[in-house]
Short mmCIF file of all heavy atoms in Angstrom, two decimals:
data_model
loop_
_atom_site.label_atom_id
_atom_site.label_comp_id
_atom_site.label_asym_id
_atom_site.label_seq_id
_atom_site.Cartn_x
_atom_site.Cartn_y
_atom_site.Cartn_z
N TYR A 442 30.72 37.51 -200.50
CA TYR A 442 29.24 37.47 -200.63
C TYR A 442 28.87 36.04 -200.89
O TYR A 442 29.71 35.17 -201.15
CB TYR A 442 28.74 38.41 -201.67
CG TYR A 442 29.20 38.14 -203.09
CD1 TYR A 442 28.43 37.47 -203.97
CD2 TYR A 442 30.43 38.62 -203.53
CE1 TYR A 442 28.84 37.24 -205.30
CE2 TYR A 442 30.84 38.38 -204.84
CZ TYR A 442 30.06 37.74 -205.71
OH TYR A 442 30.48 37.45 -206.97
N GLY A 443 27.58 35.75 -200.76
CA GLY A 443 27.12 34.33 -200.76
C GLY A 443 27.65 33.48 -201.92
O GLY A 443 28.19 32.38 -201.67
N TYR A 444 27.52 34.01 -203.12
CA TYR A 444 27.93 33.23 -204.27
C TYR A 444 29.43 32.98 -204.31
O TYR A 444 29.89 31.89 -204.57
CB TYR A 444 27.46 33.96 -205.53
CG TYR A 444 27.80 33.22 -206.83
CD1 TYR A 444 27.12 32.04 -207.18
CD2 TYR A 444 28.76 33.71 -207.70
CE1 TYR A 444 27.42 31.37 -208.36
CE2 TYR A 444 29.08 33.02 -208.89
CZ TYR A 444 28.37 31.85 -209.21
OH TYR A 444 28.67 31.19 -210.36
N ARG A 447 30.37 30.36 -201.78
CA ARG A 447 30.03 28.99 -202.25
C ARG A 447 31.07 28.52 -203.23
O ARG A 447 31.47 27.37 -203.23
CB ARG A 447 28.67 29.04 -202.87
CG ARG A 447 27.93 27.65 -202.78
CD ARG A 447 26.53 27.79 -203.20
NE ARG A 447 26.39 27.73 -204.66
CZ ARG A 447 26.43 26.59 -205.35
NH1 ARG A 447 26.61 25.48 -204.76
NH2 ARG A 447 26.28 26.61 -206.66
N GLU A 458 25.01 23.26 -200.76
CA GLU A 458 23.85 23.68 -201.56
C GLU A 458 23.51 25.17 -201.25
O GLU A 458 23.64 25.56 -200.10
CB GLU A 458 22.64 22.81 -201.22
CG GLU A 458 22.78 21.43 -201.79
CD GLU A 458 21.58 20.54 -201.40
OE1 GLU A 458 20.66 21.10 -200.76
OE2 GLU A 458 21.62 19.35 -201.73
N GLU A 459 23.07 25.80 -202.33
CA GLU A 459 22.78 27.28 -202.14
C GLU A 459 21.73 27.45 -201.07
O GLU A 459 21.82 28.40 -200.23
CB GLU A 459 22.22 27.89 -203.43
CG GLU A 459 23.04 27.62 -204.68
CD GLU A 459 22.57 26.34 -205.41
OE1 GLU A 459 22.33 25.34 -204.76
OE2 GLU A 459 22.48 26.41 -206.68
N GLY A 460 20.70 26.59 -201.11
CA GLY A 460 19.56 26.74 -200.17
C GLY A 460 19.97 26.49 -198.74
O GLY A 460 19.21 26.82 -197.81
N TYR A 463 23.04 30.11 -198.05
CA TYR A 463 22.62 31.53 -197.94
C TYR A 463 21.81 31.85 -196.70
O TYR A 463 22.09 32.83 -196.03
CB TYR A 463 21.90 31.90 -199.24
CG TYR A 463 22.72 31.72 -200.52
CD1 TYR A 463 22.10 31.56 -201.72
CD2 TYR A 463 24.09 31.77 -200.44
CE1 TYR A 463 22.88 31.42 -202.87
CE2 TYR A 463 24.87 31.61 -201.56
CZ TYR A 463 24.24 31.45 -202.78
OH TYR A 463 24.99 31.31 -203.90
N PRO A 464 20.78 31.00 -196.33
CA PRO A 464 20.14 31.26 -195.08
C PRO A 464 21.07 31.13 -193.88
O PRO A 464 20.94 31.82 -192.86
CB PRO A 464 19.02 30.20 -195.03
CG PRO A 464 18.82 29.84 -196.46
CD PRO A 464 20.15 29.88 -197.08
N ARG A 467 22.78 34.34 -192.96
CA ARG A 467 21.86 35.26 -192.23
C ARG A 467 21.72 34.86 -190.77
O ARG A 467 21.67 35.74 -189.86
CB ARG A 467 20.45 35.21 -192.91
CG ARG A 467 20.39 35.95 -194.21
CD ARG A 467 20.30 37.45 -193.87
NE ARG A 467 20.24 38.20 -195.14
CZ ARG A 467 19.81 39.44 -195.20
NH1 ARG A 467 19.41 40.05 -194.12
NH2 ARG A 467 19.81 40.05 -196.36
N ARG A 468 21.62 33.58 -190.55
CA ARG A 468 21.44 33.11 -189.16
C ARG A 468 22.71 33.35 -188.36
O ARG A 468 22.62 33.82 -187.22
CB ARG A 468 21.15 31.60 -189.15
CG ARG A 468 19.78 31.26 -189.77
CD ARG A 468 19.31 29.92 -189.21
NE ARG A 468 20.23 28.83 -189.43
CZ ARG A 468 20.27 28.14 -190.57
NH1 ARG A 468 19.46 28.36 -191.55
NH2 ARG A 468 21.16 27.13 -190.68
N LEU A 469 23.85 33.19 -188.98
CA LEU A 469 25.14 33.47 -188.24
C LEU A 469 25.26 34.95 -187.98
O LEU A 469 25.78 35.33 -186.91
CB LEU A 469 26.36 32.96 -189.09
CG LEU A 469 26.50 31.43 -189.16
CD1 LEU A 469 27.58 31.10 -190.19
CD2 LEU A 469 26.78 30.83 -187.82
N ALA A 471 22.70 36.97 -187.49
CA ALA A 471 21.75 37.24 -186.43
C ALA A 471 22.28 36.83 -185.02
O ALA A 471 21.99 37.41 -184.01
CB ALA A 471 20.43 36.56 -186.65
N GLN A 472 23.20 35.83 -185.05
CA GLN A 472 23.81 35.36 -183.77
C GLN A 472 25.03 36.19 -183.42
O GLN A 472 25.67 35.94 -182.39
CB GLN A 472 24.27 33.88 -183.98
CG GLN A 472 23.13 32.91 -184.01
CD GLN A 472 23.54 31.52 -184.47
OE1 GLN A 472 24.75 31.14 -184.42
NE2 GLN A 472 22.59 30.72 -184.91
N GLU A 478 27.44 43.90 -194.91
CA GLU A 478 27.12 45.21 -195.50
C GLU A 478 26.89 45.08 -197.02
O GLU A 478 27.47 44.17 -197.62
CB GLU A 478 28.22 46.20 -195.22
CG GLU A 478 29.57 45.85 -195.84
CD GLU A 478 30.61 46.92 -195.59
OE1 GLU A 478 30.28 47.91 -194.99
OE2 GLU A 478 31.73 46.66 -196.10
N TRP A 479 26.03 45.92 -197.52
CA TRP A 479 25.83 45.98 -198.96
C TRP A 479 26.96 46.76 -199.59
O TRP A 479 27.37 47.81 -199.07
CB TRP A 479 24.53 46.69 -199.33
CG TRP A 479 23.33 45.82 -199.13
CD1 TRP A 479 22.51 45.80 -197.98
CD2 TRP A 479 22.77 44.86 -200.02
NE1 TRP A 479 21.53 44.87 -198.15
CE2 TRP A 479 21.66 44.31 -199.37
CE3 TRP A 479 23.12 44.44 -201.33
CZ2 TRP A 479 20.85 43.31 -200.07
CZ3 TRP A 479 22.34 43.50 -201.93
CH2 TRP A 479 21.23 42.97 -201.28
N ARG A 480 27.48 46.21 -200.72
CA ARG A 480 28.52 46.97 -201.40
C ARG A 480 28.18 47.04 -202.91
O ARG A 480 27.60 46.10 -203.46
CB ARG A 480 29.89 46.29 -201.29
CG ARG A 480 30.47 46.31 -199.92
CD ARG A 480 31.86 45.72 -199.98
NE ARG A 480 32.42 45.47 -198.63
CZ ARG A 480 33.57 44.85 -198.46
NH1 ARG A 480 34.30 44.40 -199.47
NH2 ARG A 480 33.97 44.65 -197.19
N THR A 481 28.46 48.18 -203.47
CA THR A 481 28.32 48.28 -204.93
C THR A 481 29.67 48.53 -205.52
O THR A 481 30.49 49.28 -204.99
CB THR A 481 27.40 49.47 -205.30
OG1 THR A 481 27.89 50.61 -204.59
CG2 THR A 481 25.98 49.20 -204.91
N GLY A 482 29.93 47.81 -206.53
CA GLY A 482 31.23 48.03 -207.25
C GLY A 482 30.96 48.08 -208.73
O GLY A 482 30.03 48.78 -209.14
N ASP A 483 31.67 47.31 -209.49
CA ASP A 483 31.42 47.24 -210.90
C ASP A 483 30.14 46.50 -211.19
O ASP A 483 29.39 46.77 -212.13
CB ASP A 483 32.60 46.55 -211.66
CG ASP A 483 33.87 47.37 -211.48
OD1 ASP A 483 33.77 48.58 -211.29
OD2 ASP A 483 34.99 46.71 -211.49
N PRO A 486 24.68 45.31 -206.73
CA PRO A 486 24.90 45.43 -205.28
C PRO A 486 24.94 44.00 -204.68
O PRO A 486 24.12 43.11 -205.05
CB PRO A 486 23.63 46.10 -204.79
CG PRO A 486 23.09 46.79 -205.95
CD PRO A 486 23.50 45.97 -207.14
N ARG A 487 25.86 43.78 -203.76
CA ARG A 487 26.03 42.46 -203.14
C ARG A 487 26.19 42.65 -201.61
O ARG A 487 26.78 43.64 -201.18
CB ARG A 487 27.25 41.73 -203.66
CG ARG A 487 27.11 41.28 -205.10
CD ARG A 487 28.44 40.87 -205.63
NE ARG A 487 28.37 40.30 -206.97
CZ ARG A 487 29.29 40.52 -207.93
NH1 ARG A 487 30.34 41.23 -207.65
NH2 ARG A 487 29.19 39.96 -209.11
N ARG A 488 25.72 41.67 -200.92
CA ARG A 488 25.86 41.74 -199.46
C ARG A 488 27.04 40.96 -199.04
O ARG A 488 27.08 39.74 -199.26
CB ARG A 488 24.57 41.20 -198.81
CG ARG A 488 24.47 41.55 -197.34
CD ARG A 488 23.10 41.11 -196.76
NE ARG A 488 23.01 41.61 -195.42
CZ ARG A 488 22.39 42.69 -195.05
NH1 ARG A 488 21.81 43.41 -195.96
NH2 ARG A 488 22.30 43.10 -193.75
N TYR A 489 28.02 41.59 -198.45
CA TYR A 489 29.29 40.95 -198.07
C TYR A 489 29.29 40.59 -196.58
O TYR A 489 28.86 41.43 -195.74
CB TYR A 489 30.45 41.90 -198.39
CG TYR A 489 30.92 41.83 -199.85
CD1 TYR A 489 30.16 42.48 -200.82
CD2 TYR A 489 32.02 41.13 -200.21
CE1 TYR A 489 30.55 42.40 -202.16
CE2 TYR A 489 32.44 41.07 -201.55
CZ TYR A 489 31.71 41.72 -202.47
OH TYR A 489 32.06 41.65 -203.82
N TYR A 490 29.77 39.45 -196.30
CA TYR A 490 29.82 38.94 -194.90
C TYR A 490 31.30 38.76 -194.49
O TYR A 490 32.13 38.36 -195.30
CB TYR A 490 29.15 37.60 -194.78
CG TYR A 490 27.63 37.65 -195.00
CD1 TYR A 490 27.18 37.53 -196.35
CD2 TYR A 490 26.74 37.83 -194.03
CE1 TYR A 490 25.82 37.58 -196.61
CE2 TYR A 490 25.36 37.87 -194.28
CZ TYR A 490 24.91 37.72 -195.58
OH TYR A 490 23.60 37.76 -195.84
N ASP B 55 15.07 43.25 -197.51
CA ASP B 55 16.52 43.00 -197.45
C ASP B 55 16.86 41.60 -197.96
O ASP B 55 17.74 41.42 -198.83
CB ASP B 55 17.03 43.20 -196.06
CG ASP B 55 18.55 43.37 -195.97
OD1 ASP B 55 19.06 44.04 -196.92
OD2 ASP B 55 19.17 42.86 -195.08
N ILE B 56 16.18 40.56 -197.42
CA ILE B 56 16.48 39.21 -197.82
C ILE B 56 16.07 39.00 -199.28
O ILE B 56 16.73 38.34 -200.09
CB ILE B 56 15.81 38.17 -196.90
CG1 ILE B 56 16.46 38.20 -195.51
CG2 ILE B 56 15.77 36.77 -197.50
CD1 ILE B 56 15.86 37.24 -194.56
N ALA B 58 16.11 41.23 -201.71
CA ALA B 58 17.15 41.82 -202.60
C ALA B 58 18.34 40.92 -202.68
O ALA B 58 18.91 40.68 -203.75
CB ALA B 58 17.52 43.20 -202.05
N GLU B 59 18.79 40.38 -201.52
CA GLU B 59 19.99 39.51 -201.55
C GLU B 59 19.67 38.17 -202.29
O GLU B 59 20.54 37.80 -203.09
CB GLU B 59 20.40 39.23 -200.09
CG GLU B 59 21.73 38.42 -200.02
CD GLU B 59 22.14 37.99 -198.69
OE1 GLU B 59 21.24 37.95 -197.79
OE2 GLU B 59 23.30 37.73 -198.44
N ALA B 62 19.61 38.70 -206.04
CA ALA B 62 20.98 38.94 -206.59
C ALA B 62 21.72 37.61 -206.63
O ALA B 62 22.35 37.29 -207.67
CB ALA B 62 21.70 39.92 -205.77
N LEU B 63 21.62 36.80 -205.58
CA LEU B 63 22.36 35.52 -205.52
C LEU B 63 21.86 34.55 -206.56
O LEU B 63 22.63 33.89 -207.24
CB LEU B 63 22.28 34.91 -204.14
CG LEU B 63 23.07 35.64 -203.03
CD1 LEU B 63 22.73 35.13 -201.67
CD2 LEU B 63 24.57 35.46 -203.26
N GLU B 66 22.98 35.51 -210.00
CA GLU B 66 24.37 35.23 -210.21
C GLU B 66 24.61 33.72 -210.34
O GLU B 66 25.41 33.33 -211.14
CB GLU B 66 25.16 35.79 -209.00
CG GLU B 66 26.64 35.94 -209.30
CD GLU B 66 27.24 37.16 -208.64
OE1 GLU B 66 26.54 37.82 -207.84
OE2 GLU B 66 28.46 37.41 -208.92
N GLU B 67 23.87 32.94 -209.53
CA GLU B 67 24.01 31.50 -209.68
C GLU B 67 23.54 31.07 -211.09
O GLU B 67 24.24 30.24 -211.70
CB GLU B 67 23.06 30.79 -208.67
CG GLU B 67 23.54 30.81 -207.22
CD GLU B 67 24.56 29.73 -206.89
OE1 GLU B 67 24.86 28.89 -207.79
OE2 GLU B 67 25.15 29.74 -205.80
N GLY B 70 26.12 31.95 -213.63
CA GLY B 70 27.28 31.00 -213.50
C GLY B 70 26.94 29.70 -214.19
O GLY B 70 27.84 29.14 -214.87
N ARG B 71 25.78 29.21 -213.99
CA ARG B 71 25.40 27.89 -214.65
C ARG B 71 25.26 28.05 -216.15
O ARG B 71 25.47 27.05 -216.84
CB ARG B 71 24.10 27.40 -214.04
CG ARG B 71 24.27 26.97 -212.62
CD ARG B 71 23.00 26.25 -212.10
NE ARG B 71 23.14 25.94 -210.64
CZ ARG B 71 22.42 25.05 -210.07
NH1 ARG B 71 21.47 24.40 -210.68
NH2 ARG B 71 22.60 24.86 -208.74
N LEU B 85 17.65 25.20 -211.18
CA LEU B 85 18.31 25.90 -210.07
C LEU B 85 17.33 25.99 -208.89
O LEU B 85 17.68 25.69 -207.74
CB LEU B 85 18.73 27.31 -210.52
CG LEU B 85 19.16 28.26 -209.43
CD1 LEU B 85 20.50 27.80 -208.79
CD2 LEU B 85 19.32 29.66 -209.92
N GLY B 88 16.43 22.81 -207.12
CA GLY B 88 17.50 22.41 -206.24
C GLY B 88 17.56 23.25 -205.00
O GLY B 88 17.98 22.81 -203.90
N PHE B 89 17.20 24.51 -205.11
CA PHE B 89 17.23 25.44 -204.00
C PHE B 89 16.28 25.04 -202.87
O PHE B 89 16.55 25.20 -201.72
CB PHE B 89 16.93 26.84 -204.46
CG PHE B 89 17.56 27.90 -203.70
CD1 PHE B 89 18.88 28.34 -204.00
CD2 PHE B 89 16.95 28.53 -202.60
CE1 PHE B 89 19.50 29.35 -203.21
CE2 PHE B 89 17.54 29.50 -201.86
CZ PHE B 89 18.82 29.92 -202.18
N VAL B 95 12.75 27.04 -197.56
CA VAL B 95 13.80 28.02 -197.62
C VAL B 95 13.53 29.14 -196.62
O VAL B 95 14.35 29.57 -195.86
CB VAL B 95 14.01 28.56 -199.08
CG1 VAL B 95 15.01 29.72 -199.06
CG2 VAL B 95 14.51 27.49 -200.00
N SER B 98 14.21 28.21 -193.20
CA SER B 98 15.64 28.09 -192.84
C SER B 98 16.26 29.48 -192.60
O SER B 98 17.33 29.53 -192.06
CB SER B 98 16.42 27.39 -193.97
OG SER B 98 16.37 28.12 -195.12
N TYR B 99 15.56 30.54 -192.90
CA TYR B 99 16.04 31.87 -192.56
C TYR B 99 15.77 32.26 -191.08
O TYR B 99 16.28 33.21 -190.58
CB TYR B 99 15.46 32.95 -193.46
CG TYR B 99 16.21 33.16 -194.75
CD1 TYR B 99 15.78 32.56 -195.92
CD2 TYR B 99 17.38 33.88 -194.75
CE1 TYR B 99 16.43 32.72 -197.12
CE2 TYR B 99 18.07 34.06 -195.95
CZ TYR B 99 17.60 33.49 -197.08
OH TYR B 99 18.35 33.64 -198.22
N HIS B 100 14.89 31.45 -190.42
CA HIS B 100 14.60 31.72 -189.03
C HIS B 100 15.66 31.07 -188.07
O HIS B 100 16.13 29.99 -188.40
CB HIS B 100 13.26 31.11 -188.66
CG HIS B 100 12.08 31.85 -189.24
ND1 HIS B 100 11.56 31.58 -190.52
CD2 HIS B 100 11.30 32.85 -188.75
CE1 HIS B 100 10.57 32.42 -190.77
NE2 HIS B 100 10.39 33.15 -189.75
N GLN B 101 15.93 31.74 -187.06
CA GLN B 101 16.84 31.20 -186.02
C GLN B 101 16.22 29.93 -185.46
O GLN B 101 16.90 28.87 -185.36
CB GLN B 101 17.03 32.16 -184.85
CG GLN B 101 17.91 33.33 -185.23
CD GLN B 101 19.36 32.90 -185.47
OE1 GLN B 101 19.90 32.04 -184.84
NE2 GLN B 101 20.00 33.53 -186.48
N ALA B 343 17.35 50.00 -195.16
CA ALA B 343 18.51 49.07 -195.00
C ALA B 343 18.88 48.43 -196.34
O ALA B 343 20.09 48.23 -196.62
CB ALA B 343 18.20 48.06 -193.97
N ALA B 344 17.86 48.11 -197.13
CA ALA B 344 18.14 47.41 -198.40
C ALA B 344 18.61 48.30 -199.52
O ALA B 344 19.36 47.92 -200.41
CB ALA B 344 16.88 46.65 -198.81
N PRO B 347 23.21 50.72 -199.91
CA PRO B 347 24.48 50.06 -199.73
C PRO B 347 25.53 51.05 -199.43
O PRO B 347 25.81 51.90 -200.26
CB PRO B 347 24.72 49.37 -201.08
CG PRO B 347 23.41 49.46 -201.82
CD PRO B 347 22.74 50.64 -201.31
N PRO B 348 26.12 51.03 -198.22
CA PRO B 348 26.94 52.13 -197.83
C PRO B 348 28.35 52.18 -198.41
O PRO B 348 28.85 53.23 -198.78
CB PRO B 348 27.01 51.95 -196.24
CG PRO B 348 26.81 50.49 -196.06
CD PRO B 348 25.99 50.02 -197.18
N ALA B 349 29.01 51.01 -198.47
CA ALA B 349 30.43 51.06 -198.81
C ALA B 349 30.65 50.76 -200.32
O ALA B 349 29.85 50.19 -200.99
CB ALA B 349 31.15 50.03 -197.97
N GLN B 350 31.76 51.20 -200.76
CA GLN B 350 32.15 50.93 -202.18
C GLN B 350 33.23 49.87 -202.16
O GLN B 350 34.13 49.88 -201.30
CB GLN B 350 32.70 52.19 -202.85
CG GLN B 350 31.66 53.28 -203.04
CD GLN B 350 30.71 53.00 -204.19
OE1 GLN B 350 31.13 52.53 -205.24
NE2 GLN B 350 29.42 53.23 -204.00
N GLU B 351 33.23 48.99 -203.15
CA GLU B 351 34.32 47.95 -203.26
C GLU B 351 35.59 48.56 -203.65
O GLU B 351 35.62 49.50 -204.41
CB GLU B 351 33.93 46.88 -204.25
CG GLU B 351 33.20 45.69 -203.63
CD GLU B 351 32.90 44.66 -204.69
OE1 GLU B 351 32.05 44.91 -205.52
OE2 GLU B 351 33.52 43.59 -204.70
#
Side-chain angles (χ1 to χ4, degrees):
Chain A
Y442 62 97
Y444 182 71
R447 207 172 83 78
E458 288 177 3
E459 311 93 315
Y463 300 156
R467 285 282 180 161
R468 293 202 304 274
L469 290 172
Q472 289 168 18
E478 62 177 0
W479 282 95
R480 290 186 192 174
T481 50
D483 298 332
R487 289 167 176 146
R488 196 175 185 94
Y489 278 76
Y490 296 86
Chain B
D55 197 38
I56 289 181
E59 185 184 24
L63 288 169
E66 198 144 4
E67 285 279 355
R71 290 188 185 199
L85 168 70
F89 209 87
V95 174
S98 65
Y99 273 100
H100 288 88
Q101 286 295 322
Q350 294 285 319
E351 267 182 290

